Amino acid sequence: MHPTIITMQEVVAKGDQTKIAPLLAQQVKFLPPTYFATWTGRDAVAAVLGHVGQVFSDFKYRRVMGAGKDWALEFQCKIGDLDTVGVDLITLDDDGLIETFEVVMRPHKSIGALRDAMNARVMKDPAFLKHKSALS
């Protein structure tokens, strides 16, 4: 398994953006499950993933599939009292950094709960608000 994928499994669930950032390419693109938009840039994506790690509980990766640059990591977690299953679709660049990070989840109700919990967190975080321009 690729070292970036191994490390990512260890740090994403902890929500520590300082440990997530070094795994990301400078112009990483993050496609969240909560809306049809893309976050671009290492600092912004690390901030988003840091908050996600604080919203999810009982997070664990169940299966990891892939090779080379393309990976799919199936996870399960709770968002509040809702059970959630999802997949992180990851593409690495030539340097082994995360170039694209797309998340798909189910059930629909948990996606709404994630959106609400994330909005409540990030709107109170002045450091996060500076990254709003990274959303397209």
Side-chain angles (χ1 to χ4, degrees), residues 8 21 33 49 51 130:
M8 193 198 94
L49 293 176
H51 279 286
K130 73 178 181 181

Side-chain angles (χ1 to χ4, degrees), residues 33 56 59-63 65 72-77 83-89 102-107 110-111:
F56 288 165
F59 184 94
K60 71 176 185 177
Y61 283 106
R62 301 190 319 188
R63 292 189 293 168
M65 300 154 276
L73 292 81
E74 180 186 38
F75 63 86
Q76 68 183 48
C77 65
D83 291 316
T84 303
V85 174
V87 178
D88 292 336
L89 300 170
E102 182 173 6
V103 181
V104 293
M105 288 175 38
R106 70 174 194 78
S110 65
I111 297 168

Side-chain angles (χ1 to χ4, degrees), residues 60-136:
K60 71 176 185 177
Y61 283 106
R62 301 190 319 188
R63 292 189 293 168
V64 177
M65 300 154 276
K69 293 183 177 185
D70 296 309
W71 295 87
L73 292 81
E74 180 186 38
F75 63 86
Q76 68 183 48
C77 65
K78 285 190 152 310
I79 301 169
D81 62 349
L82 298 173
D83 291 316
T84 303
V85 174
V87 178
D88 292 336
L89 300 170
I90 301 205
T91 302
L92 304 176
D93 67 10
D94 291 336
D95 295 323
L97 298 175
I98 297 171
E99 178 177 74
T100 307
F101 191 132
E102 182 173 6
V103 181
V104 293
M105 288 175 38
R106 70 174 194 78
H108 184 266
K109 190 174 186 177
S110 65
I111 297 168
L114 175 61
R115 183 192 60 241
D116 295 345
M118 285 293 290
N119 283 338
R121 287 187 63 84
V122 301
M123 291 305 156
K124 295 176 187 171
D125 179 359
F128 182 84
L129 294 176
K130 73 178 181 181
H131 296 299
K132 287 180 80 173
S133 64
L135 183 60
S136 61

